[in-house]
Amino acid sequence: MTNGNAEEQQLSVTVVGGPTVVIDLGGLRFVTDPTFDAADSSYSMGPVELRKLEAPALTPDELGPVAAVLLSHDQHPDNLDGAGRAFLKTVPLVLTTEQSAERVGGTGLAPWAEHVLERPGGGQVVVTAVPAQHGPAGTEQMLGAVTGFFLSGEGLPTVYVSGDNVSLDPVRELAQRVDHDGIDLAVLHVGAAQLAPFGPTLLSMTAEQGAEAAELLGARRVLAVHTEGWAHFTEGADAVAESFTKAGSIRRLVVGDEGARLAV
């Protein structure tokens, strides 16, 4: 994967697998939550074992020059695995939570803080940290801090990346802060992630919540990720399509083959 005509193509996306997406915006390339380990990898976390089912569609060497990694959090391997951690050391900038930055390096952003990147052809992309809630209220101490991201710039499409989030409150707050015209692309971590030791507790949005989030944001297009590739994702692409169809929002969904770049 190379830059190609990234500066001419204002916005395109490439799904790598799990939560990992390449976002080309205004001549800059961003990678979300890098997970590049092989299929059948497993990770022990106390009483929990996570199992990766699918290999990534692209390797780090195939990504081309990357301006920044948008890391929602580092504490769970389905958002940052071993190969993803190695990848962080090769990129010029990692934007993440303040807590994760202390552990993996990079720049930590408090909720609603901004980081400005200069575009190669002039102009800027502003990355704003958006709050996220990984589990039910009261579990923040156990699950750790998570952030979403909002990308904007003069003359550019706007992009929201939810990170692992189960609450629509941050979505509503973002909707109140942005232009009333809505958001051009919402990259939503859905998949209704669950782990046996925690029973029915949700650790990421359901497909139904994703459709509601899209409506709240006035999102023109939606890319649903975090639905495939790991054993603890309980809702896949079919559930997403069903929920968006039921909500009358199926036209919003961006669907493409993993590893293929798609203009938005």
Side-chain angles (χ1 to χ4, degrees):
M1 182 176 184
T2 60
N3 268 332
N5 63 343
E7 290 189 43
E8 296 152 23
Q9 175 55 61
Q10 293 285 71
L11 176 60
S12 65
V13 293
T14 307
V15 177
V16 177
T20 310
V21 180
V22 178
I23 301 171
D24 287 305
L25 178 65
L28 295 176
R29 177 159 292 166
F30 300 88
V31 177
T32 67
D33 287 359
T35 53
F36 294 111
D37 282 352
D40 297 323
S41 298
S42 60
Y43 312 83
S44 293
M45 302 173 61
V48 173
E49 181 169 293
L50 300 186
R51 186 161 58 91
K52 188 172 186 178
L53 303 177
E54 299 176 8
L58 297 170
T59 67
D61 291 339
E62 295 175 302
L63 298 186
V66 172
V69 166
L70 306 178
L71 178 63
S72 67
H73 61 299
D74 75 298
Q75 56 266 36
H76 302 136
D78 60 322
N79 297 87
L80 182 68
D81 59 18
R85 287 181 182 275
F87 176 65
L88 294 186
K89 298 177 182 178
T90 71
V91 299
L93 177 65
V94 178
L95 298 176
T96 187
T97 67
E98 294 176 301
Q99 294 88 338
S100 290
E102 292 177 1
R103 294 186 290 262
V104 302
T107 299
L109 298 176
W112 304 115
E114 296 180 348
H115 186 92
V116 177
L117 290 86
E118 300 296 327
R119 296 172 56 194
Q124 299 174 327
V125 172
V126 180
V127 180
T128 304
V130 178
Q133 183 179 313
H134 202 345
T139 62
E140 294 86 355
Q141 217 32 46
M142 177 177 62
L143 294 171
V146 178
T147 188
F149 300 94
F150 178 66
L151 283 62
S152 61
E154 185 175 355
L156 292 177
T158 51
V159 180
Y160 167 58
V161 182
S162 71
D164 285 4
N165 174 54
V166 299
S167 173
L168 292 175
D169 289 341
V171 178
R172 293 188 183 94
E173 187 173 356
L174 176 62
Q176 292 170 357
R177 286 172 175 253
V178 299
D179 292 339
H180 294 296
D181 289 341
I183 287 173
D184 292 298
L185 174 66
V187 180
L188 301 180
H189 290 207
V190 285
Q194 292 179 302
L195 293 168
F198 303 108
T201 298
L202 290 173
L203 303 175
S204 63
M205 280 192 287
T206 64
E208 185 176 347
Q209 283 179 302
E212 187 174 351
E215 186 66 30
L216 288 169
L217 293 168
R220 292 174 180 81
R221 306 304 298 274
V222 174
L223 180 64
V225 300
H226 204 265
T227 61
E228 312 289 345
W230 291 78
H232 60 293
F233 298 167
T234 66
E235 292 185 347
D238 289 346
V240 173
E242 181 179 347
S243 291
F244 274 72
T245 299
K246 184 178 179 180
S249 298
I250 191 65
R251 71 190 186 282
R252 301 182 196 263
L253 278 183
V254 176
V255 179
D257 294 333
E258 288 193 357
R261 187 173 170 187
L262 183 67
V264 180

